[in-house]
Amino acid sequence: MTHNTPLSPRPLSHLGEAAQCRVLTTRALREHGVSTTVANERCRPGGPWQLLLPGVYLLRQGPPTSDERLHAALLYAGAERSPSPSRPGSLERAGHGPPAPAREAVITGLAALSLHGFAAAPSLRALDRIDVLVPRARRLRSTGCVRVVRGHGLPQPEEITGLPVAPVPRALADAVAQLTDAGIVRRLLIESVRGGHCEAAAVVAELTQARLLGRPHVVDAVDTLLAEGRALAEGRLYEMVFRHWLPEPCWNVDLRLPGGPPLGGVDAYWPDQAVALELDTRAPREDGAAQWSEYARKREALEGLGITVVHLTPGKLRESLEQQAAVVRTALMTAAERDPAEYVVVVPR
């Protein structure tokens, strides 16, 4: 076959219409019997193909679709392979797509949030750049519609429409790193918890890891995020008590010894059973060690007085409300088997 020999469509005839079949790399085309020279000739003005990214071709003319851009970005980053030509027709007969992506890169940032279904994120069509997260050691440059984001390690991706996508907390951190609009940052962070995508603590952990908490507009948004996360957790706590017919506690109270110093506040307290419940909505920030020390001190003091402390996290309430209700019910039912607790004063907050 010379460079002037007309290209036969036969080697590519078994490929389907899916985006990953219309977007191929130089290597994949070579495996299909198409040389780089021929591929480049087909991308000349008036030709049937186009070069989307270095070494990545779209086997048609016209603007690429969002799916084609996403697959092209991953192919450029080496995160997935093009369909293999080893057995023509095998893809259609088996009813399967291309081989599973090698996890060398994942979609992140605003593109990932759009794939996760965030209303506050721009649509994929509206994005000029697609962020692709790769290991820090990878020698890869941002180009065209691809912005390369480097990290010490890749998170376990979630598969959305067959694509490896960064989990919401990591995608948020990578998106926030590029944003300067405080309103957009706040809306994205709030939607992460209000939409049930993740817990506030997981988001703050990623923002801390990315060293973004030094930016004033991010700090303000995080404060709003934590308040939103706590409000949602308290709502689930009320739901747990009333849906599962638990005795109604004293809500949001401070405990103290008669005439003594305050012991600290709890989210719910059952005086007759001496059971206190505390929501752990602490977020891993710079003062995390001090927060943990204060929490441990309060719990030790209460348990030293014979008060049972039930510790719940927002994540546990979101994932297994019935199971957490059973934990609280057990603590209440076994109160009679314990030694009587010291009398404490209950003060509304």
Side-chain angles (χ1 to χ4, degrees):
M1 174 177 174
T2 67
H3 294 164
N4 296 323
T5 303
L7 181 64
S8 169
R10 183 172 178 274
L12 303 177
S13 61
H14 69 286
L15 296 176
E17 290 300 316
Q20 63 265 37
C21 297
R22 295 189 300 264
V23 182
L24 297 178
T25 63
T26 301
R27 177 181 176 181
L29 286 172
R30 190 180 303 117
E31 292 175 349
H32 282 286
V34 181
S35 68
T36 303
T37 301
V38 171
N40 289 336
E41 287 177 353
R42 289 204 147 206
C43 292
R44 290 179 177 177
W49 295 355
Q50 58 181 302
L51 185 67
L52 286 185
L53 292 164
V56 182
Y57 297 84
L58 176 60
L59 307 191
R60 67 172 184 82
Q61 282 296 332
T65 66
S66 297
D67 283 346
E68 288 167 345
R69 293 173 72 218
L70 290 168
H71 282 282
L74 288 171
L75 285 171
Y76 171 71
E80 65 175 25
R81 301 181 184 277
S82 300
S84 171
S86 57
R87 291 191 299 164
S90 62
L91 292 177
E92 293 180 350
R93 287 197 304 271
H96 296 298
R103 303 308 187 193
E104 299 175 8
V106 298
I107 301 295
T108 190
L110 289 174
L113 296 179
S114 181
L115 288 168
H116 279 291
F118 272 62
S123 68
L124 291 170
R125 187 184 299 273
L127 288 175
D128 294 329
R129 290 282 187 105
I130 295 171
D131 291 338
V132 180
L133 179 62
V134 303
R136 188 170 297 278
R138 289 284 306 280
R139 302 182 68 179
L140 195 68
R141 293 183 178 180
S142 299
T143 185
C145 67
V146 176
R147 177 165 45 216
V148 174
V149 179
R150 304 185 187 280
H152 290 292
L154 296 188
Q156 182 64 35
E158 299 179 22
E159 186 172 303
I160 302 177
T161 65
L163 299 170
V165 180
V168 167
R170 182 55 189 268
L172 272 171
D174 290 332
V176 169
Q178 306 292 334
L179 296 171
T180 57
D181 188 311
I184 294 177
V185 171
R186 184 180 299 107
R187 287 194 293 273
L188 287 172
L189 296 190
I190 290 176
E191 186 174 352
S192 69
V193 295
R194 187 175 291 175
H197 296 284
C198 60
E199 298 303 327
V203 176
V204 178
E206 288 290 353
L207 295 175
T208 303
Q209 181 70 24
R211 300 181 179 179
L212 295 172
L213 294 185
R215 304 182 183 184
H217 69 287
V218 176
V219 173
D220 292 342
V222 165
D223 290 339
T224 304
L225 167 72
L226 293 175
E228 181 75 16
R230 180 162 188 87
L232 287 172
E234 288 177 346
R236 294 189 187 111
L237 181 58
Y238 297 148
E239 181 184 0
M240 179 194 75
V241 169
F242 295 116
R243 177 187 291 184
H244 295 282
W245 299 94
L246 296 173
E248 185 170 1
C250 300
W251 296 106
N252 296 315
V253 294
D254 288 321
L255 304 179
R256 64 173 64 233
L257 288 171
L263 299 168
V266 294
D267 294 283
Y269 185 63
W270 288 265
D272 293 341
Q273 295 85 6
V275 173
L277 186 148
E278 185 164 24
L279 281 173
D280 183 5
T281 56
R282 292 175 298 112
R285 303 170 78 167
E286 293 181 358
D287 57 349
Q291 286 183 337
W292 172 253
S293 178
E294 174 61 22
Y295 169 78
R297 182 204 62 77
K298 178 171 61 176
R299 180 165 188 167
E300 182 179 354
L302 293 176
E303 291 180 341
L305 296 171
I307 296 173
T308 299
V309 181
V310 177
H311 170 256
L312 296 182
T313 64
K316 290 179 180 178
L317 286 172
R318 179 167 63 95
E319 296 167 5
S320 56
L321 203 64
E322 183 176 359
Q323 183 178 348
Q324 305 316 307
V327 171
V328 176
R329 183 177 288 107
T330 299
L332 295 172
M333 293 175 61
T334 57
E337 303 172 7
R338 300 189 297 268
D339 293 333
E342 296 288 339
Y343 175 77
V344 295
V345 178
V346 179
V347 182
R349 281 194 285 180

